[in-house]
Each structure stands twice: as structure tokens, then as C-alpha cells.
């Protein structure tokens, strides 16, 4: 079985690139999710991966949001099941159903879709690190197989149908006639003042 401790990628934060250290230092200090992100080598590796993929400055905000979403999943898992998900086997087949429960009950539908993508990328990173260190990866492969086959029916399809239903039921209020008349008069005044 692969555990977070077995594939410890960074012994301490000085092993991280300057970009990752910069991004981690810019996280809010008063947040539990921040503590999870900084304490977990897998999330630090994910941060490194995302920064290599997109190194633009504005993308750092997006990376922070992705890290927070995964950290919120970890905190939810810890709270619900009393297990330290980063030291236990997160990418373990036994944890898969618990993760689905957390995601379905604790997150918005759009966040559910995003978390599935994050878990897939994190699982691949974990598997690749384990392969490099010659640690057996069968459990991680099985987790990724479950993620590929069951996530869509257990989480994604429900989330997508709820989002589509919400969009369908959302009323499209048209502006009132009075508002259109006021806007037309205002635009007409502005246009005539520019032409003078």
C-alpha cells in the first residue's frame, strides 16, 4: 500500500522551488486549509506541477484555489471519519467511498466536478512518485481505476444534471419597458452631448 509517508517528495520546505515557496507563503495564515496544504508533501508536489504547467502570475490565484479545494476535502474527510487522510492512504481503494461521501455532502456541484479532476491529477502524481522510488503502485492504480469508472456515475453525472436543472429553472428576467426607455433617453443625451 502506498501512503503519503512512503512517497514523501520533499523532506522540508527548503526542498521546494522558490516559486512554490512564494505561493505557499502567500496563502492566508488564519485558515485550516493553509495548514493542510503546507503540511502535505503531495499538495506541495501538486503545486509544483501546476506552476510548471502554467507559470503566469495571474495563474497563482487559480492554483491557490485548487489547493484550497483539495485541502477542504482533506479537512472534511478528517472531520467526518476521524482519519488523518494525508498520513493514511488517501489513494487507497478503501478510502474511495468515503471520499465520494464527503464530496457529495460537503461541496457544491461545480466544486465536485473540479475535485474529481484534482484527485485524478494527484493520483497520477502519487503513482509516478511511487514508480520512481520503486514502491508498489497497485493500490494507487486501483484507486485511479475506480476514479475513472465510478466517479462519473457517483459524482459527476449528478453534479452536471443538478447544474443543468438549476440553469434551466433560473428565470431570465427581461428589463422592464420603463428601464429600456430610460436607458434609451440616457444614451441619446450622451450621444448628442458628444456630437456638439
Amino acid at each position: 500500500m502506498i501512503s503519503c509517508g512512503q512517497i514523501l517528495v520533499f523532506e522540508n520546505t527548503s526542498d521546494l522551488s522558490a516559486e512554490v515557496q512564494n505561493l505557499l507563503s502567500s496563502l492566508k495564515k488564519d485558515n485550516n486549509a493553509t495548514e493542510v496544504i503546507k503540511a502535505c508533501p503531495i499538495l506541495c508536489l501538486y503545486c509544483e506541477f501546476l506552476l510548471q504547467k502554467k507559470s503566469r502570475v495571474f495563474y497563482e490565484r487559480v492554483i491557490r484555489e485548487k489547493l484550497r479545494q483539495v485541502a477542504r476535502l482533506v479537512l472534511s474527510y478528517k472531520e467526518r471519519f476521524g482519519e488523518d487522510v494525508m498520513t493514511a492512504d488517501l489513494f487507497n481503494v478503501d478510502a474511495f467511498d468515503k471520499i465520494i461521501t464527503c464530496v457529495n455532502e460537503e461541496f457544491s456541484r461545480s466544486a465536485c466536478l473540479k475535485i474529481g479532476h484534482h484527485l485524478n491529477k494527484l493520483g497520477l502524481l502519487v503513482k509516478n512518485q511511487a514508480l520512481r522510488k520503486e514502491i508498489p503502485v497497485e493500490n494507487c492504480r486501483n484507486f485511479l481505476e475506480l476514479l475513472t469508472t465510478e466517479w462519473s456515475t457517483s459524482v459527476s453525472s449528478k453534479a452536471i444534471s443538478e447544474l443543468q436543472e438549476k440553469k434551466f429553472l433560473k428565470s431570465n428576467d427581461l428589463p422592464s419597458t420603463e428601464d429600456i426607455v430610460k436607458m434609451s433617453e440616457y444614451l441619446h443625451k450622451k450621444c448628442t452631448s458628444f456630437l456638439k
Side-chain angles (χ1 to χ4, degrees), residues 32-68:
N32 289 339
T34 300
E35 294 172 21
V36 171
I37 293 166
K38 289 181 177 180
C40 180
I42 296 172
L43 291 179
C44 292
L45 177 65
Y46 189 45
C47 181
E48 185 88 48
F49 168 77
L50 292 171
L51 280 170
Q52 287 173 359
K53 188 175 170 187
K54 306 266 187 180
S55 61
R56 291 172 282 198
V57 175
F58 76 91
Y59 197 69
E60 287 183 6
R61 182 182 56 81
V62 175
I63 293 172
R64 282 192 296 270
E65 183 59 34
K66 290 178 179 191
L67 293 172
R68 271 194 299 274

Side-chain angles (χ1 to χ4, degrees), residues 3-117:
S3 68
C4 184
Q6 286 177 304
I7 57 163
L8 188 62
V9 180
F10 304 109
E11 296 300 323
N12 57 47
T13 54
S14 64
D15 295 339
L16 298 170
S17 71
E19 289 177 316
V20 173
Q21 288 181 15
N22 225 7
L23 190 130
L24 293 177
S25 67
S26 70
L27 294 169
K28 293 180 182 175
K29 306 284 189 253
D30 59 344
N31 194 336
N32 289 339
T34 300
E35 294 172 21
V36 171
I37 293 166
K38 289 181 177 180
C40 180
I42 296 172
L43 291 179
C44 292
L45 177 65
Y46 189 45
C47 181
E48 185 88 48
F49 168 77
L50 292 171
L51 280 170
Q52 287 173 359
K53 188 175 170 187
K54 306 266 187 180
S55 61
R56 291 172 282 198
V57 175
F58 76 91
Y59 197 69
E60 287 183 6
R61 182 182 56 81
V62 175
I63 293 172
R64 282 192 296 270
E65 183 59 34
K66 290 178 179 191
L67 293 172
R68 271 194 299 274
Q69 286 173 338
V70 177
R72 282 182 47 226
L73 172 62
V74 170
L75 290 169
S76 171
Y77 189 98
K78 284 180 181 180
E79 184 179 308
R80 184 174 292 271
F81 301 107
E83 298 174 27
D84 187 359
V85 78
M86 285 301 138
T87 56
D89 294 336
L90 174 63
F91 298 97
N92 183 347
V93 175
D94 299 334
F96 185 77
D97 291 329
K98 294 176 182 179
I99 291 171
I100 286 179
T101 302
C102 286
V103 170
N104 279 331
E105 294 179 8
E106 301 281 334
F107 291 89
S108 69
R109 298 302 100 200
S110 59
C112 290
L113 297 172
K114 294 174 185 175
I115 287 173
H117 294 292

Side-chain angles (χ1 to χ4, degrees), residues 33 53-54 63 70 105 121 127 140-141 165 177 183:
K53 188 175 170 187
K54 306 266 187 180
I63 293 172
V70 177
E105 294 179 8
K121 288 178 184 172
K127 185 183 86 171
C140 190
R141 279 191 185 131
E165 182 180 342
T177 307
M183 180 62 118

